[in-house]
Each structure stands twice: as structure tokens, then as C-alpha cells.
Amino acid sequence: MLPLKLTLAIVICLALSAGSGATQQAPVFRTATDLVRFDVSVRDANRKPVQGLTQADFIVIKDGKERPISAFTEVIVTDPPRDVASWVFNAPRDVSTNVLGSRRVIIMVVDDAIMGTPFQAAQTKEAARKFIDALSPTDLVALVFTADNRSPEDFTTDRSRLYAAVDRLNVGSGFGGALPDLFQQYTVGTLYRASEFLKDLPDARKAIVYITPGIPFNPTPVVGNRNPLLFELRHEVDRLLESARLSNVSIYSLWTDAGIFTDADHTTTMQEDFLHMLGANTGGFAHTTGAFEPGIKQILAETGSYYVLGYTPLHLDGKVHQLTVKTVRPDLQVVSRRAYQMDQSTKSSNSSPLAKSLGGIIPDPDLPMKVNVVPLAHPDEGTRNQGGALIVVTASASVPAVMARSIKEVDLLVSVFDPEGRPKGQKKEHAEVTLRR
């Protein structure tokens, strides 16, 4: 195969800060083809990931009936090399790409709604930065806050952007002491929305890393307590756990008060019990004792090894189907999604590979692309202070090896936007590329 580089789009902007204000709805799990794909983690009795299994080791059961496995891949996320200076991974990148290789998709939920003391604020920043330090170069991570969410960070592999988001944490934003019931709902609601968002990713290891002081949640209703906010909180927690279980989203918690306790046998608090409950019900765990590093290492170990399975359904009926994945080895634990829904419109979708790659918030590697931003001087002397940028998006495609000289067609799209992101013009060009043997 001969790789062919195609320039697909060039955008000239008058400001780099322009962005879309459109909001994203929580997506439904869909697939781009008739193949249903899902990620599966396998662990031994000590929670150590089990590698080297084959397709014959798995059993897929849909709605109570065993289904043949049509696709199988083992994925192992490589750790960053230890003999390379850290600035190599932390420096902003000149070129971004959607070709990430083996990857994890993680949403860091930083609980500033409950954070109420300077110690908790300092611990929150420390835990977040240490987690970012340990990430692999291919990890796709977003960072959101539970209260002051004016400056979150979208999915990125750029560590420098994640560090900057942590630095934007408002130390005085903890409101849990003033309106505890309300802000506890904010916290659980953020976790739920993160889980729902990750539902649309069938073939990547998905996790929520929850950095928090925890909430004093009591799952057992208290007799005589008619506080409607407490009943609503229990409903929100139940909804969160159901979403995470169905979507195979593991919740891992880093407790900001963990440094206070060095003894694993200390008397647990309600906050710890809440975090342990989240982990036990979603395939994750809570790190609540001692330094953060051991917990972070275990999180990345558990999420860094998984399998992607796929099977072909008989019908695309748009209904929710129950899904169970087992192994032929009873001594192993399997963590996988418990249901899926395939939209009937998926099969007849006419979306082009380019539209699919450009339109999603999560990079789609089906059409490999790279993005480069180059600042430009404005030719008009009177408007030079407005700045400018040239954004070049290139995609590479593969064509069969040619035995003789041949010509391939390439389309070029040029779009112009003002500093507010409003389109000001567009032009299409067409070119021919000569391929030689």
C-alpha cells in the first residue's frame, strides 16, 4: 500500500480564541457499522490485569443467548518511557493528531463543590497533578469541575493543557458547607453526566477519576427525615450507578483526605464509605489511605490492559439489549458493559469519513488526520493587531500500490472566520496528484 497525504481543509481565522458555544447532549451508545464493539477488562483475584487471552477464552451472551464473536483485539497501553525528560511530554505540541494507538479515555472530575478547606484544595491540586504526571502520551483526558465549571478542559493528550486546568481551580470555590445537600447533588450529577458522555465509546477503556473530599452519603433512608433533597440525592446516586454499569465506566476515587490516614485499618468515615461504594459497583476502587502514587499506579494498571470484542447482531431494532461477557476460566473476573443500544439509523448512515472524523469530540482514527496551527501577520496595516492563524488539517489515506503512473484527485476546502467564529466565506479547489511506481 502506498500512503497518500491529502490536504482536506485550510481555515484562516482572525482570532484563536473563537469557539463554538453549542452544548453537547449525552449520547446514546451507537456503532458506525453493523458490528457491536465493546471493551472488556479481565482481572485475577488480586485485581491484576490478565493479559494474553484469546478469542476462544471469551463467551458473549446477548439477551440470554450466546452469540459468536466476530472481532477480537487485545490492547495494552504502554507506559511513558522513564529515560526521557518529563518536558518532552509536558510541552505543548505543534501538531495534533487523531492517531493515538492504544489508549484510555478518562474524565477527571475535580470536586470543588465539596472542597471546603485549604488543606483539601492543596490535596486536590496535588492529586490531579500527580495523576497527569503518570499518564501515557496516548491517554485522552478531559477535566471538569463539579461547581465552578467555567474553565474545564476538553479531551486532550496535551498534558500542559491539563496542568493549566488544574491551576485554574478556585481554592475558595467549595460550597459544600453552606448548602451541603444541594452541592452534593451537583457532585453526583456531574459524575452521572460524565458517565453518560462516555457511553458512546464502545472500543476504548473508559474511566472516571474522581478527586474529592467525598460526601457523607447514607444509602439507608433515615426514619423521620423528610428532606426532599436527600431523597433526590439517593435517586441521583442510583441513576449514576446504573449508567456506569451499563456503559462499563469504572469510577476510581482519589480521596483528598487520604494523607491524614496512614493505617488502612482506621475507622472509615461516611465519605470513604461512599467512595468505596462507587468503586465496588462500577469495577473501580477508592484510594483512601496514604500517598496518592500507589492508587494512581493501580488505576493506570487496571485501565491499561483490556480487550475489544465484537459481534454482529441479527437486527438493528433500536432497542436496549442485555449483554454478558464471561471467560472459560472461572477464576477470573470480567468487567464489561451490561447493555447496548443500536440505532436503526446507524446502518443507513451516509456520513462521510471526513465528516465523521471532524465532527466528533473524541478523535476517530478511521481517517488519520493531523492539525497544525501557524500564526500569520495580517496584510492590512490597520488591522495587524487582530492577529491571525492558519489552521491546516491534513489526512492520510492508503491506495493500492500502483504498477504504473496514475492520477488521483484531491479536494481542497478553504474557509474564513471572524474573531467570533462566524463564517465569512468558503472556497473549494480541486487538484490532481500524480502517483509513480
Side-chain angles (χ1 to χ4, degrees), residues 290-336:
F292 295 119
E293 286 87 348
I296 292 172
K297 182 178 179 180
Q298 182 66 20
I299 292 172
L300 296 179
E302 290 191 7
T303 57
S305 175
Y306 61 96
Y307 300 86
V308 177
L309 278 62
Y311 84 93
T312 304
L314 299 176
H315 306 287
L316 303 181
D317 52 15
K319 297 180 180 179
V320 176
H321 295 278
Q322 301 304 309
L323 190 67
T324 303
V325 182
K326 301 179 179 180
T327 69
V328 296
R329 293 175 51 182
D331 59 316
L332 301 181
Q333 177 193 13
V334 176
V335 181
S336 179

Side-chain angles (χ1 to χ4, degrees), residues 142-201:
L143 190 151
V144 298
F145 301 97
T146 57
D148 187 4
N149 217 15
R150 292 173 294 180
S151 55
E153 184 55 55
D154 210 338
F155 284 101
T156 182
T157 58
D158 189 337
R159 290 188 188 181
S160 64
R161 293 171 56 183
L162 295 171
Y163 287 129
V166 173
D167 291 340
R168 293 194 293 267
L169 173 64
N170 184 358
V171 177
S173 62
F175 304 103
L179 297 168
D181 297 337
L182 179 61
F183 283 93
Q184 288 167 17
Q185 283 192 40
Y186 284 0
T187 292
V188 177
T190 302
L191 292 170
Y192 169 75
R193 288 187 290 275
S195 175
E196 285 291 288
F197 188 89
L198 291 173
K199 184 185 294 185
D200 200 37
L201 305 177

Side-chain angles (χ1 to χ4, degrees), residues 393-410:
V393 181
T394 65
S396 58
S398 295
V399 297
V402 293
M403 300 303 296
R405 175 172 168 170
S406 63
I407 297 177
K408 297 293 181 181
E409 298 180 346
V410 177

Side-chain angles (χ1 to χ4, degrees), residues 359-427:
I361 240 178
I362 303 295
D364 188 323
D366 288 347
L367 181 62
M369 304 177 70
K370 292 183 179 180
V371 179
N372 188 27
V373 180
V374 181
L376 298 175
H378 200 287
D380 189 341
E381 189 71 22
T383 58
R384 74 165 104 181
N385 292 330
Q386 293 184 21
L390 174 68
I391 302 177
V392 180
V393 181
T394 65
S396 58
S398 295
V399 297
V402 293
M403 300 303 296
R405 175 172 168 170
S406 63
I407 297 177
K408 297 293 181 181
E409 298 180 346
V410 177
D411 291 323
L412 181 68
L413 175 65
V414 180
S415 301
V416 180
F417 298 85
D418 69 8
E420 282 72 42
R422 292 186 292 262
K424 291 298 182 180
Q426 191 175 84
K427 184 178 181 181

Side-chain angles (χ1 to χ4, degrees), residues 88-116:
V88 174
F89 304 111
N90 300 340
R93 300 178 181 179
D94 295 328
V95 180
S96 294
T97 177
N98 64 344
V99 183
L100 300 176
S102 302
R103 66 181 183 182
R104 288 172 285 236
V105 179
I106 298 171
I107 296 181
M108 296 176 62
V109 176
V110 176
D111 196 357
D112 60 332
I114 307 299
M115 182 185 67

Side-chain angles (χ1 to χ4, degrees), residues 75-356:
V75 180
I76 299 176
V77 180
T78 57
D79 293 328
R82 300 303 177 189
D83 56 348
V84 177
S86 61
W87 66 264
V88 174
F89 304 111
N90 300 340
R93 300 178 181 179
D94 295 328
V95 180
S96 294
T97 177
N98 64 344
V99 183
L100 300 176
S102 302
R103 66 181 183 182
R104 288 172 285 236
V105 179
I106 298 171
I107 296 181
M108 296 176 62
V109 176
V110 176
D111 196 357
D112 60 332
I114 307 299
M115 182 185 67
T117 67
F119 173 80
Q120 290 174 342
Q123 289 291 94
T124 297
K125 286 192 172 184
E126 179 183 350
R129 293 187 70 87
K130 286 183 180 298
F131 183 77
I132 297 169
D133 288 342
L135 291 172
S136 166
T138 62
D139 288 331
L140 196 61
V141 182
L143 190 151
V144 298
F145 301 97
T146 57
D148 187 4
N149 217 15
R150 292 173 294 180
S151 55
E153 184 55 55
D154 210 338
F155 284 101
T156 182
T157 58
D158 189 337
R159 290 188 188 181
S160 64
R161 293 171 56 183
L162 295 171
Y163 287 129
V166 173
D167 291 340
R168 293 194 293 267
L169 173 64
N170 184 358
V171 177
S173 62
F175 304 103
L179 297 168
D181 297 337
L182 179 61
F183 283 93
Q184 288 167 17
Q185 283 192 40
Y186 284 0
T187 292
V188 177
T190 302
L191 292 170
Y192 169 75
R193 288 187 290 275
S195 175
E196 285 291 288
F197 188 89
L198 291 173
K199 184 185 294 185
D200 200 37
L201 305 177
D203 55 353
R205 188 67 181 97
K206 308 173 291 293
I208 293 172
V209 174
Y210 179 34
I211 303 176
T212 177
I215 64 177
F217 173 74
N218 184 359
T220 304
V222 178
V223 177
N225 191 334
R226 299 183 179 277
N227 186 343
L229 291 178
L230 289 179
F231 285 95
E232 181 64 25
L233 179 61
R234 291 191 184 94
H235 170 73
E236 292 284 337
V237 171
D238 290 341
R239 187 174 66 155
L240 163 64
L241 296 179
E242 182 68 9
S243 171
R245 285 193 293 257
L246 293 179
S247 308
N248 192 27
V249 175
S250 298
I251 300 178
Y252 295 93
S253 299
L254 295 174
W255 191 38
T256 56
D257 290 347
I260 299 175
F261 303 99
T262 58
D263 182 5
D265 295 327
H266 70 274
T267 301
T268 59
T269 65
M270 290 182 66
Q271 286 87 344
E272 287 179 89
D273 291 338
F274 170 68
L275 301 181
H276 288 303
M277 181 269 295
L278 290 180
N281 282 273
T282 63
F285 65 83
H287 177 75
T288 60
T289 304
F292 295 119
E293 286 87 348
I296 292 172
K297 182 178 179 180
Q298 182 66 20
I299 292 172
L300 296 179
E302 290 191 7
T303 57
S305 175
Y306 61 96
Y307 300 86
V308 177
L309 278 62
Y311 84 93
T312 304
L314 299 176
H315 306 287
L316 303 181
D317 52 15
K319 297 180 180 179
V320 176
H321 295 278
Q322 301 304 309
L323 190 67
T324 303
V325 182
K326 301 179 179 180
T327 69
V328 296
R329 293 175 51 182
D331 59 316
L332 301 181
Q333 177 193 13
V334 176
V335 181
S336 179
R337 69 164 59 239
R338 300 187 183 182
Y340 78 92
Q341 180 181 13
M342 266 190 107
D343 193 354
Q344 291 171 294
S345 63
T346 304
K347 188 173 182 179
S348 59
S349 174
N350 292 321
S351 298
S352 68
L354 176 59
K356 181 182 174 185

